[in-house]
Amino acid sequence: MLKKFALTVLITSVLIISTGWGFLVHKTVHQLAVYELPEAMLPFFYQQMDYLVTHAPRPDMRRNEDSTEATKHFIDLEMFGERAATKMPLDWNRAVQKYTADSLLKYGYVPYHIIYMKGKLTEAFRQGNKDSILFYAADLGHYIGDAHVPLHTTVNYDGQLTDQKGLHSLWESMIPELEIGNYSLYSTHKATYLKKPAEAIWQAVRKAAGLVPDMLLKEKEVSKGFTEEQKFRVQIRRGKETKSYTTAFAKAYAEALGTTINDQLRSSANLIADFWYTSWVDAGKPDLSRINTGWSAGTQLKLAAELKTFHENKLLENKLLLSKKAEVKAGE
Ligand SMILES: [Zn+2]
């Protein structure tokens, strides 16, 4: 009982500091990205899927101990002038010349950090260093996921400037937690080589930024059908009053958003697969079977069955979605 309480406190406090997708989505997209990899990469990544899923939220945890971590996860585009999403240089050095490093480090630089981490992953592949490959693949995937979250591209990151405080976790955590059973987690996408990785990540940032006005507007619209009491749940947490959206409101808002969140989730997985693949190709396509220990005919069969389940969008139903499995374990 005490253990359970301690765990709940831990999970709650972790959720509060979480930014970007909630843990559920960060973990889910790493699993889905693995399935999109080509034959030459799939066995190694599949064998390490537990690691990639478990460590998907790690960069968010790091924010606790490292004050320089936070701004790697977002970019407050408004701080870089009008239509910054289309005007900012793709290259970090040119961006520094235009805006100064101080501004970038202050207002966020997720697209540039992704390119930096891609370089690290490529180098790890080149060296054939298993631990480094896993470390950078997990971290890189996290930041790519964050770049798909609309509120990670704006100074109004929690709806706080438009009287919609709490919108951040509603969109990225609460709704996916409620709705994942209705999501399509299957994508026909296969990992694709990115000739211009910086352009690809900026496209994702522009798309996410483009979703902001609509998500703010829909929250206002849906609110019209709710009283304050129906819309918010007020709780006392550690002596402080906290206000969060009710499940009823979250469901109504999710419906108004249509497939937006599901689409962003799948786009995250797709681009993560592309970046992992591109890093491997840029490293000269090293033979991963040399560092893939314990691979057997049995694992091959298990993978084949799992891919079939993925194609049928039945990962959750067949209890193969690792992000939900971990949750079940924690709740036991
Ligand atoms: Zn993050």
Side-chain angles (χ1 to χ4, degrees), residues 17-21 26 56-61 63 69-70 72-74 110 142-143 145-147 152 172:
I17 56 116
S18 127
T19 66
W21 287 112
H26 272 304
R58 181 177 52 205
D60 281 339
M61 322 271 224
R63 295 162 51 117
E69 180 63 35
K72 294 172 182 167
H73 299 243
F74 62 81
V110 63
H142 177 96
Y143 299 114
D146 279 355
H152 270 240
E172 64 155 44

Side-chain angles (χ1 to χ4, degrees), residues 170-273:
L170 174 69
W171 197 98
E172 64 155 44
S173 293
M174 192 174 179
I175 293 177
E177 295 275 357
L178 286 169
E179 298 289 323
I180 194 154
N182 302 320
Y183 285 171
S184 168
L185 300 180
Y186 172 58
S187 157
T188 53
H189 184 80
K190 294 260 171 254
T192 307
Y193 183 74
L194 302 167
K195 283 196 191 107
K196 296 175 179 170
E199 181 54 42
I201 196 62
W202 271 98
Q203 260 175 33
V205 168
R206 282 176 214 131
K207 166 122 193 281
L211 293 170
V212 174
D214 189 62
M215 69 177 283
L216 299 177
L217 183 73
K218 290 238 161 78
E219 194 273 350
K220 297 272 184 201
E221 279 174 11
V222 173
S223 297
K224 288 178 191 158
F226 285 77
T227 64
E228 276 289 295
E229 290 73 32
Q230 290 166 336
K231 187 177 168 185
F232 295 110
R233 198 159 67 108
V234 180
Q235 284 171 300
I236 309 292
R237 237 183 230 163
R238 291 182 215 154
K240 265 178 84 180
E241 197 183 271
T242 60
K243 215 164 100 170
S244 55
Y245 288 102
T246 58
T247 305
F249 184 85
K251 284 190 169 162
Y253 181 51
E255 204 183 322
L257 288 173
T259 60
T260 314
I261 299 179
N262 191 166
D263 293 345
Q264 287 302 95
L265 181 156
R266 286 199 301 183
S267 301
S268 302
N270 296 347
L271 197 59
I272 290 167

Side-chain angles (χ1 to χ4, degrees), residues 97-166:
Q97 275 170 19
K98 193 168 174 184
Y99 301 102
T100 76
D102 281 355
S103 296
L104 289 155
L105 295 177
K106 186 170 174 193
Y107 300 120
Y109 59 106
V110 63
Y112 303 105
H113 189 60
I114 286 166
I115 297 305
Y116 172 76
M117 294 303 277
K118 188 217 160 263
K120 290 288 203 182
L121 178 59
T122 304
E123 190 49 37
F125 273 127
R126 215 170 264 143
Q127 291 174 359
N129 184 326
K130 187 174 175 174
D131 290 346
S132 297
I133 292 170
L134 291 172
F135 180 88
Y136 289 114
D139 272 25
L140 173 63
H142 177 96
Y143 299 114
I144 295 170
D146 279 355
H148 285 79
V149 176
L151 292 181
H152 270 240
T153 63
T154 173
V155 66
N156 187 20
Y157 61 89
D158 196 22
Q160 80 282 10
L161 303 177
T162 43
D163 194 23
Q164 295 169 297
K165 200 166 166 9

